[in-house]
Amino acid sequence: MSSSSDNGESSLNLSVSFAGIDLKNPIIAASGTFGYGVEFEDVVHLDKLGGFVVKGLSREPMIGNPPPRLWETAAGMLNAIGLQNIGAPAFLAEKLPKLQQMKNIVVLANVFGYTREDYERTIEILNDGEGIAAYELNVSCPNTKCGGISFGSDARMLFDVVSAAKKIATRPLIVKLSPNVTSIPEMARAAEDAGADALSLVNTFVAMAIDPETRRPRISNVTAGLSGPAIKPIALRMVWEAANAVKIPVIGIGGISTAEDVVEFLLAGATAIQVGTVNFWDPCACETLVGSLEKWCLEHHVEKMADLIGGLQLEPPELSA
Ligand SMILES: Cc1cc2nc3c(=O)[nH]c(=O)nc-3n(C[C@H](O)[C@H](O)[C@H](O)COP(=O)(O)O)c2cc1C
């Protein structure tokens, strides 16, 4: 996206590139908060967004957890949807053809599984679909063959699943890191060593809420993932750590809702960002954010995203005389 200055010259360019993918701006709608994209067609100009990530796909359809699955917290949201989805074959048959008819959109497919073979099979299925720019691997799921430990919380397991996915994927592979780990740099390096083309982080934080009246959990699954503004400062720290630990591009996610939030993540080292929970409060949030980022950049004389990416200043400001 370019904007004209007073003398008519084009001055602002919001475009970014990572893993060989060109985006017209760095704003991407996050997986699980934007359906399969097609549901938003009537309310959002999908071609105004940098891109969108579809709901996590598995090899077969999944019905997810029983209700209640959502609970609003003071500054965020708890969810335990249980990765409900129509399955990769139905995505190719029912959703992708509609997306293929839309011009100038970037579709990213989020993939998950409970075994390494699940990931491999789902990617194999998706490889047959036209019009997917990249895969985003959700590694926050429990590995049912390894006692239910999440793939993304053990560096060796993460390396194995990413290496296996990379061998099969015919498209760039973005690995979406879990924040529920002791060391983000260790996980970021494991994914990079296994061949990831980019990282995205963070997924939700394991959390819970209890109804004091009934003494029962607010969510049927008992624990749930916390997202939204509450997690932003922690996510920002993790993105900064990851960006300093690896050479591959990093996509920042976590509580982003304003242009200032976007700029913070870019300064911390993110090449692009994803917007999740705020889509539930305002389905047009991503499109609005593109406009506010453009305004912020014009007001701050920023002409291109490279002027912001990794621009965090650690030197103390010069003392005025
Ligand atoms: C209701 C809901 C469903 C989600 N489903 C997925 C999913 O299918 N796959 C995935 O990788 N992340 C999923 N996420 C995580 C988001 O993509 C995002 O990483 C997280 O919510 C943090 O960003 P936010 O604070 O902007 O929401 C989901 C989040 C929410 C709130």
Side-chain angles (χ1 to χ4, degrees):
M1 172 181 290
S2 298
S3 274
S4 295
S5 60
D6 289 341
N7 59 14
E9 280 172 27
S10 178
S11 56
L12 173 58
N13 183 348
L14 292 185
S15 68
V16 294
S17 303
F18 61 85
I21 307 161
D22 296 324
L23 303 186
K24 57 179 81 70
N25 63 64
I27 316 281
I28 303 168
S31 180
T33 68
F34 210 69
Y36 300 98
V38 283
E39 301 84 350
F40 282 71
E41 191 188 6
D42 292 338
V43 276
V44 178
H45 296 98
L46 294 173
D47 60 350
K48 294 275 191 266
L49 310 186
F52 55 87
V53 190
V54 303
K55 174 76 192 148
L57 296 164
S58 47
R59 58 200 284 184
E60 276 146 22
M62 289 186 55
I63 54 164
N65 291 327
R69 314 197 287 186
L70 293 175
W71 177 253
E72 193 171 335
T73 67
M77 196 169 86
L78 287 177
N79 96 82
I81 303 292
L83 295 168
Q84 177 182 2
N85 79 102
I86 59 172
F91 173 72
L92 292 197
E94 296 163 23
K95 306 291 179 182
L96 203 52
K98 291 182 190 146
L99 293 171
Q100 283 162 353
Q101 288 167 11
M102 299 177 197
K103 301 238 174 336
N104 290 321
I105 61 164
V106 174
V107 182
L108 305 156
N110 185 281
V111 171
F112 74 94
Y114 294 100
T115 63
R116 197 180 72 188
E117 295 72 34
D118 284 346
Y119 284 94
E120 291 172 330
R121 182 69 195 118
T122 308
I123 292 173
E124 257 169 20
I125 297 168
L126 294 173
N127 278 343
D128 288 338
E130 291 287 319
I132 300 170
Y135 300 128
E136 181 181 59
L137 216 60
N138 174 3
V139 293
S140 296
C141 312
N143 182 343
T144 49
K145 284 199 178 158
C146 280
I149 304 166
S150 136
F151 284 95
S153 62
D154 178 275
R156 193 179 301 173
M157 240 153 55
L158 179 63
F159 181 90
D160 283 349
V161 76
V162 175
S163 313
K166 179 67 187 171
K167 277 195 199 107
I168 302 226
T170 55
R171 303 188 161 103
L173 190 65
I174 304 164
V175 175
K176 182 168 181 178
L177 297 181
S178 164
N180 303 303
V181 297
T182 312
S183 168
I184 280 288
E186 184 189 3
M187 296 303 161
R189 281 192 287 264
E192 180 180 49
D193 291 347
D197 298 293
L199 301 176
S200 60
L201 70 156
V202 294
N203 211 315
T204 55
F205 287 78
V206 180
M208 66 187 283
I210 298 173
D211 179 347
E213 299 301 325
T214 63
R215 303 189 175 198
R216 296 194 51 76
R218 297 275 192 196
I219 300 274
S220 71
N221 189 55
V222 184
T223 61
L226 179 66
S227 61
I231 70 169
K232 199 200 87 181
I234 320 178
L236 185 66
R237 184 264 297 173
M238 290 181 160
V239 165
W240 177 67
E241 286 181 345
N244 282 301
V246 295
K247 295 197 174 62
I248 52 177
V250 169
I251 302 166
I253 321 170
I256 295 173
S257 67
T258 66
E260 285 80 5
D261 294 340
V262 177
V263 172
E264 277 190 78
F265 275 82
L266 297 182
L267 290 172
T271 299
I273 62 90
Q274 292 183 17
V275 178
T277 301
V278 71
N279 290 311
F280 287 94
W281 296 324
D282 172 10
C284 301
C286 288
E287 190 175 345
T288 308
L289 202 47
V290 174
S292 6
L293 178 64
E294 188 178 20
K295 185 165 176 280
W296 191 96
C297 290
L298 289 171
E299 284 169 2
H300 293 79
H301 309 291
V302 169
E303 295 191 345
K304 56 187 185 308
M305 295 300 94
D307 297 342
L308 294 172
I309 296 167
L312 176 67
Q313 296 294 313
L314 293 175
E315 302 302 322
E318 281 185 35
L319 294 173
S320 49

